[in-house]
Amino acid sequence: MSGTGNGNDEASATTLARIQTDSVVATLKTLYPGLRFEIIAMSTTGDKILDTALSKIGEKSLFTKELEHALEKNEVDLVVHSLKDLPTVLPPGFTVGAICKRENPCDAVVFHPKFVGKTLATLPERSVVGTSSLRRAAQLQRKFPHLEFKSIRGNLNTRLRKLDEQQEFSAIILAVAGLQRMGWHNRVGQGALGVEVRAKDQDILDLVGVLHDPETLLRCIAERAFLKHLEGGCSVPVAVHTAMKDGQLYMTGGVWSLDGSDTMQETMQASIQVPAQHEDGPEDDPQLVGITARNIPRGPQLAAENLGISLANLLLNKGAKNILDVARQLNDAH
């Protein structure tokens, strides 16, 4: 029997967290029909602090600390996260044992009912757009300077209710993957689910390792290496996007000032063949950016990590650190 945890308690649970956990457990049940899985809902710091922007809280483990505490005490054996909620450096003793196939990683604009049919470009001057992400706000501020951007927190149901029932927001920005998982296609990390486990629990690592989607794994290693090297987090506007095509991993990364007026973007690529899963993985401590994938060849994993680091270094050498330092200072000051 294995226990699985997801963020959010039963009283205020996001349906999305449960849907994501259910999807992982359903796959595991198919693979291991003799095992019984118990789902335990939990609440995290990030779920409880809803009146403060994520970038202002200053806690790197907002959506993970309580879940990792349960893992450490053997109250659960695995935890399902949106991968974007997991820091690029995990606490000692924990690892991401599986990265599931990524869904649509794009953002979606959801409009207030009175603005249905509009676009961000055609919204009235000084319309307020809600987002919990500095990265989204900076990118959109640069392209749509006539709009204002304000933090909006809460689960998907809460954010959509604030949009529909109040007059504060003309539109909000949400992840397409979340809307699709909820079945709200008509309203349309970022996209990938990670399963966190105890790093030394080989039985559980073997159990969840079959969930690894090799292409998504390599893309996420590259993306997390890029973010880690830039020290990107909730307090700075940093973005990265990857795509795999014909044996090439393409990666575009960028940094922005808080208001989007200053930006720097670059693209790199590397030859990386997506491997099939196999049984002869590395025998030493195989973690890369907090991810363990013993059933995936080491070479492509290292190549993906190197691509992320190389792109980060390219931006840093061109002055990205100055943009990020000013963004941090301004964010801390407000």
Side-chain angles (χ1 to χ4, degrees):
M1 181 183 75
S2 298
T4 63
N6 63 17
N8 306 301
D9 58 17
E10 293 289 4
S12 63
T14 70
T15 308
L16 178 60
R18 183 58 187 251
I19 288 173
Q20 292 177 165
T21 302
D22 285 346
S23 69
V24 170
V25 170
T27 303
L28 289 173
K29 283 181 176 178
T30 301
L31 294 168
Y32 305 103
L35 283 181
R36 183 171 69 86
F37 295 86
E38 177 187 359
I39 297 177
I40 301 171
M42 299 178 187
S43 181
T44 68
T45 302
D47 301 317
K48 296 172 183 174
I49 305 175
L50 298 177
D51 58 352
T52 305
L54 291 175
S55 60
K56 301 292 186 185
I57 299 174
E59 168 61 62
K60 291 186 177 180
S61 302
L62 281 178
F63 297 99
T64 62
K65 187 192 300 183
E66 289 82 358
L67 305 178
E68 287 166 347
H69 186 55
L71 266 177
E72 187 174 35
K73 294 196 299 181
N74 293 305
E75 293 174 354
V76 298
D77 294 309
L78 48 122
V79 177
V80 179
H81 300 279
S82 289
L83 194 60
K84 65 181 179 59
D85 292 335
L86 279 173
T88 54
V89 178
L90 298 182
F94 302 103
T95 188
V96 178
I99 294 180
C100 305
K101 186 175 178 61
R102 172 175 266 159
E103 295 192 31
N104 191 326
C106 296
D107 295 331
V109 184
V110 183
F111 291 93
H112 187 283
K114 69 180 179 183
F115 290 121
V116 170
K118 292 274 190 181
T119 65
L120 289 177
T122 59
L123 279 177
E125 189 85 15
R126 300 181 68 82
S127 292
V128 177
V129 177
T131 174
S132 61
S133 164
L134 284 182
R135 184 265 304 170
R136 288 169 174 160
Q139 289 176 309
L140 293 171
Q141 189 88 64
R142 180 178 178 85
K143 190 164 186 178
F144 305 103
H146 69 292
L147 301 177
E148 296 182 0
F149 295 87
K150 183 177 178 181
S151 175
I152 182 171
R153 296 288 317 285
N155 58 45
L156 279 182
N157 308 64
T158 300
R159 294 188 206 189
L160 287 171
R161 187 167 61 251
K162 288 179 180 178
L163 173 68
D164 292 342
E165 297 178 4
Q166 301 175 14
Q167 301 302 314
E168 182 176 7
F169 297 101
S170 300
I172 59 176
I173 312 298
L174 298 170
V176 170
L179 291 167
Q180 290 180 335
R181 287 175 183 139
M182 293 287 284
W184 294 336
H185 299 78
N186 62 323
R187 299 302 303 255
V188 228
Q190 284 353 24
L193 295 180
V195 181
E196 187 179 13
V197 302
R198 291 179 292 274
K200 301 300 182 183
D201 194 331
Q202 193 57 52
D203 289 340
I204 298 298
L205 276 168
D206 290 343
L207 183 137
V208 303
V210 296
L211 298 176
H212 273 305
D213 178 70
E215 178 178 322
T216 304
L217 168 75
L218 296 178
R219 291 171 61 188
C220 287
I221 286 176
E223 292 162 8
R224 286 169 65 83
F226 172 81
L227 294 171
K228 178 182 178 182
H229 206 65
L230 281 180
E231 299 180 3
C234 290
S235 62
V236 288
V238 177
V240 60
H241 178 264
T242 55
M244 188 78 75
K245 184 177 181 181
D246 298 329
Q248 296 288 315
L249 179 55
Y250 297 88
M251 187 174 198
T252 299
V255 300
W256 285 260
S257 59
L258 287 187
D259 64 359
S261 61
D262 199 1
T263 184
M264 184 178 297
Q265 298 181 61
E266 293 289 346
T267 298
M268 294 183 74
Q269 67 189 76
S271 296
I272 302 177
Q273 293 294 331
V274 178
Q277 290 201 22
H278 73 122
E279 296 180 0
D280 301 320
E283 295 301 324
D284 58 346
D285 182 4
Q287 280 202 43
L288 292 178
V289 287
I291 299 168
T292 297
R294 291 181 181 272
N295 55 344
I296 303 294
R298 184 73 159 177
Q301 294 187 56
L302 290 172
E305 181 188 43
N306 289 335
L307 177 62
I309 294 172
S310 297
L311 182 58
N313 281 330
L314 177 62
L315 287 172
L316 290 172
N317 291 337
K318 292 193 172 187
K321 187 176 187 301
N322 293 332
I323 297 175
L324 294 176
D325 286 346
V326 171
R328 285 192 185 93
Q329 292 166 8
L330 289 175
N331 184 57
D332 291 343
H334 287 80

